[in-house]
Structures are given as C-alpha cells and as structure tokens.
Amino acid sequence: MIEEWLVVEAVVAVGALLQGAVGFGVALVAAPLLMLVRPDLVPAPMILAAWCLTLLIAVRDRRGVDWGGLRWTVPGLLAGTAAAVLLLQGLPEQGVGLMLGTVVLAAVGLSVVGWHPLPHGRNLVVAATAAGFMGTATSVGGPPMALVFQRESGVRLRGTLSAVFQVGGVVSLTGLALAGRFGPQEMMAGLGLLPGVVVGFGLSGRLAARLDGRRLRPAVLAVSAAAAMGVLIRYL
C-alpha cells in the first residue's frame, strides 16, 4: 500500500537525517520501527540502505577519516559477523525481533550511563566485534563504534564511522548471503529504501554543522528506546 510505503520512507529519511548529522542513527531509529511495520526489511535490506547512506557520508566527510584506527576494526568486524551468521541460521523472526529490541535498549543504556572508552587498538577491536555481530544480526551496528568515537570532532566521528560501516556493511551482507538471508529479493527491498536515504542525507548537510549534539542525542535515544520497547511488546 502507498501509505505503508510512505511511512517506511519517512522512517528511513528521519534516520538518514540523524546519521548524516551525527554519524550514526539510521538503523538505530529505523530498524525498530520497521520491525513493527515491515519486519522483512530487517536486517539485510536495512543494512544495504545504510551502506548506501554511509558511502555518501564517507565521501562528504572524507577529510575526517581516521585511517590508522580503521585498520584495527577489520578483524573485529569479521569475527562479529561470523558469530552472527552462525546464530541467524537457527534464529526465527521472533528471535531477531527480541534481539533487536534488547540490543537497542542496551545501547541506549550505555549512552545514558556515559561510558567513554578511548579510540585505541584494543577498544577498537572489541567495539568492531560488537558492531559486526549487532549489525549483521539486527542491522543496528553503530552504537559500539559511536561510543568509542563520541568525544571526537563531528567530522572525524562521521567520517570514521562511515568508513567503518562501509567495510562492515560488505562483510555483513556477505555473511547474510552465505546464511541464505540476503538475495535478489532483499536487494530489491533495500534499494527501495533509497528515496528515504537520499532525502535524509540531502537535509543533513546543513544540520551537521548546526545541530547541538547535547540536544539531539537525547531525542534520538528516546525515540530509539520507545521503538525498541514496541518491538519487545510485539514479540513477547
């Protein structure tokens, strides 16, 4: 239905706007809501749409990419993705929904507590492992890496996270394809989310330099927590 399509695109556009401005948020906001409206769009189609968004952000904010830190994330992304693929082979839709809701609430809790790990070798490997697992299993892989880089400048945060997500997206989609969770149908569904991605990214350019993160992040966390609770209520 056209109404459902408009709702889906609007949700993705809002998530893309937030991610384009602060470096993460498209899956954190969109995935829980999509699980309520169109659960077939999570995780693979959402990962593909997010990958396209991070490509746009990485090109825009390429001057801020921490290439030295990026190399530490690859082993973690591979390990986390492998673990998620093994889990998904025996996990039904209800299990994915419950995991997604729990993961998002846990990420919100960590952000509220204010845990601030530094972006160096060991922390990057651990965060990338968690991101690879969460991103492949639920499409929400941003929070672990965002926590590590949350004290960096906006350009460095957005640029580096987008570069990490570029690698992680390819790894996750490859793993999902091997697990039978990503094929032509999921690819077309993911490409169908691109209008929302383009609209959100286009609006984020001006906001990236103006938004006050102290006001934006609480709103993102509140919406994400509410959506995650909705998913948990639906599948419990």
Side-chain angles (χ1 to χ4, degrees):
M1 298 186 301
I2 185 64
E3 295 85 358
E4 182 181 87
W5 181 81
L6 289 174
V7 169
V8 168
E9 296 298 342
V11 167
V12 173
V14 171
L17 171 63
L18 294 175
Q19 179 147 334
V22 301
F24 72 107
V26 62
L28 185 65
V29 171
L33 295 173
L34 291 181
M35 281 296 293
L36 298 175
V37 182
R38 287 281 305 276
D40 59 301
L41 295 177
V42 181
M46 186 67 246
I47 293 175
L48 178 59
W51 186 88
C52 294
L53 173 63
T54 57
L55 176 61
L56 295 173
I57 299 173
V59 171
R60 186 190 66 188
D61 294 325
R62 59 188 178 278
R63 68 185 185 280
V65 177
D66 178 8
W67 296 106
L70 184 62
R71 64 186 175 88
W72 287 99
T73 66
V74 175
L77 291 171
L78 292 172
T81 298
V85 168
L86 292 175
L87 179 65
L88 284 173
Q89 289 179 343
L91 195 64
E93 179 183 302
Q94 181 183 16
V96 174
L98 292 174
M99 179 187 298
L100 175 59
T102 303
V103 163
V104 173
L105 284 179
V108 170
L110 286 174
S111 297
V112 170
V113 170
W115 181 47
H116 300 300
L118 297 176
H120 58 66
R122 182 178 63 183
N123 287 345
L124 288 173
V125 173
V126 173
T129 301
F133 179 84
M134 291 167 56
T136 303
T138 70
S139 79
V140 181
M145 295 303 304
L147 285 171
V148 173
F149 283 98
Q150 62 184 294
R151 288 189 173 184
E152 303 299 321
S153 67
V155 172
R156 188 181 185 194
L157 174 66
R158 293 190 300 269
T160 303
L161 290 188
S162 296
V164 171
F165 297 155
Q166 281 289 286
V167 177
V170 171
V171 173
S172 293
L173 290 175
T174 300
L176 289 172
L178 293 175
R181 295 291 189 100
F182 180 58
Q185 182 176 347
E186 289 78 14
M187 179 178 292
M188 293 305 297
L191 294 177
L193 300 176
L194 290 186
V197 167
V198 172
V199 170
F201 174 76
L203 295 174
S204 72
R206 294 182 179 179
L207 290 177
R210 298 179 182 179
L211 283 179
D212 184 349
R214 289 175 297 178
R215 295 179 180 176
L216 179 63
R217 283 199 171 95
V220 173
L221 295 175
V223 172
S224 300
M229 287 298 296
V231 171
L232 291 175
I233 292 173
R234 173 177 177 175
Y235 285 103
L236 283 175

